[in-house]
Each structure stands twice: as C-alpha cells, then as structure tokens.
Amino acid sequence: MHLPSYYEFINSVPIVAGQAAIEAIPELLSERAASRVMVISDAGVKGAGLLGIVIGLLKEHLDIALVTDEVPPDSDLVKVGQLAEAYGEA
C-alpha cells in the first residue's frame, strides 16, 4: 500500500480529547441545542466503567433517549439502520 508523504484531513465537527474532556460533553451538546441523545458504545467501554460515567454526566443535563452497548467493531450499515430505527422509536 502506498501512503502519500502529505495529506490533509478536514473534519467539520470538533474533536475534544485529553484530561477532563469527558466533563465537556454536556456543554458541547448544549451548544448544539441537543436535548435528546442516544449513547452508542460497546461492551468493552461498558466493562471498563466508562459508559456509566458518561451516562451519569448526561442524565443531569439531557434526555437520554437510548443507550446501547451492542455495537460490534466495524459495524455495517445494517447496524446503523437498526440504531436509527431504535432511536426513532425511543
């Protein structure tokens, strides 16, 4: 595989990382007028206790419509469609 020596990546959404980044999630969602959210995770994140931390932060500020940890690595469009449908029904 050939990788170019130079490339650019343009992302239209912010990427927030680092110490205390997780605490910024409610404010970031609020700035975007989000009021009803879906939290998508996997079993590993849940098992590490991180999903509970995120849910704890979000439920103080937002309506959590759906939480799922049944997302396999490299999910396909079928899974995306299932999640979208579940969110619409929640």
Side-chain angles (χ1 to χ4, degrees):
M1 173 171 43
H2 172 73
L3 293 175
S5 61
Y6 174 83
Y7 65 93
E8 291 184 24
F9 176 76
I10 299 172
N11 191 357
S12 63
V13 298
I15 297 174
V16 180
Q19 208 169 26
I22 200 165
E23 285 86 2
I25 293 172
E27 182 180 344
L28 292 168
L29 292 172
S30 177
E31 289 172 359
R32 287 155 184 79
S35 59
R36 186 171 176 263
V37 299
M38 172 171 59
V39 180
I40 303 171
S41 183
D42 64 27
V45 171
K46 181 180 180 182
L50 299 174
L51 185 56
I53 293 169
V54 171
I55 297 303
L57 285 169
L58 293 179
K59 72 180 180 181
E60 295 176 17
H61 305 278
L62 301 162
D63 173 29
I64 301 174
L66 178 67
V67 177
T68 181
D69 66 349
E70 299 175 4
V71 179
D74 300 325
S75 296
D76 58 17
L77 288 177
V78 172
K79 187 62 175 180
V80 172
Q82 291 169 343
L83 291 171
E85 184 176 333
Y87 177 77
E89 293 173 356

